[in-house]
Amino acid sequence: MKTLVGGSSAPGASRERDEIRPQPVGRNEPCPCGSGSKYKKCCLLRERCETASLLPAWVINSSRKLHLFLKYATQVFGLPRLLGGLRDGRRDPTYSTFEVVNSLFHAALFRRPSINATEGDLKHEDFQKLIGRKPSQGVKAFSAEVISNVLDKLDLDGLRNGIEDVIWRAERNKVFRGGSYGALRCVALDGWEPSCSYDRHCSHCLTREVSVKNPTTGEVEKRTQYYHRYVVAMLVGPVLDVVLDIEPVLNAEARRDLGEDAHHEGELTAAHRLIDRLHDTYATFIDAFVLDALYANGPVMTKLDEYGYGGFIVLKKSDNEPLKDALALWEGKDPCQRIYDDEKKESVEFWDVDGIDTLDTYKGKVRVIRAVITKKNGTRKTWCFAIVGKRAQKASRRTAFKIVRSRWHIENTGFGQWVKYWNLGRVYRHTPNAIMAILLLWMLVFNLLQLFVYRRLKRPRKPKDPCDTIIGIVAEMFRDVATISDRIPWEVLAHAAMG
Ligand SMILES: [Zn+2]
Ligand SMILES: [Zn+2]
C-alpha cells in the first residue's frame, strides 16, 4: 500500500500536493502573521491540534494510561504531525515513512530491545491496531528489513526538529516555568558511550586499542575496540528533565566526509559544535550550562560568555587554574557560610571567592566555590566548582550548589536509565544514520514520557527513584495494548495534521 503521508522524499512524490497547497513556510523564516517571530516559535505552535478530535471516542474517553498518553501526545504535542513530518530517502517505498516510524515510536515507548522484537510485535493484532494497521494475527505488517531501510535513510534534521517542537510547545504551556533553579534554566552537557564491541562496527565507529587476555593462550594482546560516543544536552530541573539535542563525536572517516582532518575528534570538539547548535536553536531559552571537570577550560568558558550563557563547572584538578588560586586564597580560612539542609539531612560549609582571572585562555572573571558536605553518619564530601557569566555568578551559594549537583540527572535519569531500561546499550541497527535515528527517536519518546508522567499525571519526583515511577507506568501502558478495541486511525490523523 502506498500512501501520500510520510512517503519518500523523492521529488515526484510531493510535487502534486505542493501545486495545490501554498508553499510551506520554513521553520526558521519570519512568521507570515507579521509578529516578527520565527515561524517555529509562532504560528507553527498555534496550529491547533484539532486532529486530536479525530481520535476514536474509546481513546478520548478512556482513563487507561496508554490511551491517556496517546491523547496527551496528540492533543498537546501534535504527535501525528511530529511523526507525519518525517522523511526518509528511500525511492518508491511500499511502506510509508510514517507507518514505519510510528511502529518505532511505540517500540521505543515499550522499550522493545531490538528490531527483531519489534518485527515480532508487528505480527500481533493488538499491536497492529495500535499502529493503525488492519489487524491480521500472525501476519507481520512489514519486516525488520523495511525498518532497517527506513532507519538507514531517515532524515535526522527532521527528528531534531521534532524534539525542538516538543520543547517549544512545552514552553508555551509554561512547563518550564518554576521548574528551574533560582530562575536559571540550566542545561547539562556530558559525554555518553552507550556500548562498545570488538567485532561489530560501521564506518563511523570510533576505535581504540585495548589490552585483553587471550582466553586460549593466556597472553595479553592488543585488540581494536569499536564504539560510538555522544555529547548529550539535557535541560535539568527539579520537576523534570528533557533532552534538547545529541551530537556524535566524529571518527576520522566521518570527518573526512566533511572535508576535515582525518583523525578521531575528542568529546570537547563535539561539545563546542553542540553548544553552537543549541545557541542557534534555543538561544535565550537557555540561561546556563552545567558541566563536569573536562569542560573546566578557557575555550569553553569563552564560548559560553560570547553567547551570554552562564556556566557551572565542576573543578577537580587542584594544580590547575582557577582552582589552584582559589585554594591558595582559602588556605587556613574558615568557611564563609554554614547551612543545614533539612531535606537531605546534611550540613554544608562554603568557601567562596570572586573575580579570579588567572586563566590564560579566558578573559573574564571566575567565581569559585568549595562546598564541604557532612552527612548524618559523619561522611564528608568536597565539591569545588567554577561559575562564569554575570547572571550565573549572582546565584546564591545554595542555589549554585543545587545546580552543580543537578548534573547527576544526566547520569542517572539519562544515561543510567537509557542503558538499563530503554535498551540503548544495544545497537538496534549498526549503520551511522540508523544509530543516530534510533537515539533521536528514543529521546523524543523519552521527553514525551517525562512530560506525561510529571506534568500530565503530576507524579512526584521525590522521594522515589524516578526510574521506578516510569517503569511502572510503561508496564501499565504495555498491558493496555491488549485492551485496544479497534485500529487507531493514525494515517487519517497525520493527513489532517499535515494539512
Ligand atoms: Zn505567527
Ligand atoms: Zn559504528
Side-chain angles (χ1 to χ4, degrees), residues 31-35 42-43 46:
C31 194
C33 77
S35 65
C42 188
C43 291
R46 288 207 187 92

Side-chain angles (χ1 to χ4, degrees), residues 107 120 158 233 261 272:
D261 276 356
H272 274 280

Side-chain angles (χ1 to χ4, degrees), residues 140-155:
K140 64 186 168 206
F142 41 84
S143 65
E145 198 190 335
V146 171
I147 301 175
S148 300
N149 287 340
V150 168
L151 287 172
D152 288 351
K153 296 191 168 143
L154 195 57
D155 174 38

Side-chain angles (χ1 to χ4, degrees), residues 6 11 18 48 54 100 129 162 178 204 292 297 316 340 350 380 391 423 430 436 441 489:
D18 287 350
R48 296 205 343 115
L54 298 169
V100 177
K129 284 188 274 185
H204 283 194
D292 71 14
N297 60 65
K316 289 226 168 101
Y340 184 78
F350 288 109
R380 286 160 76 88
R391 251 190 90 196
N423 291 300
H430 202 151
M436 275 312 292
L441 188 55

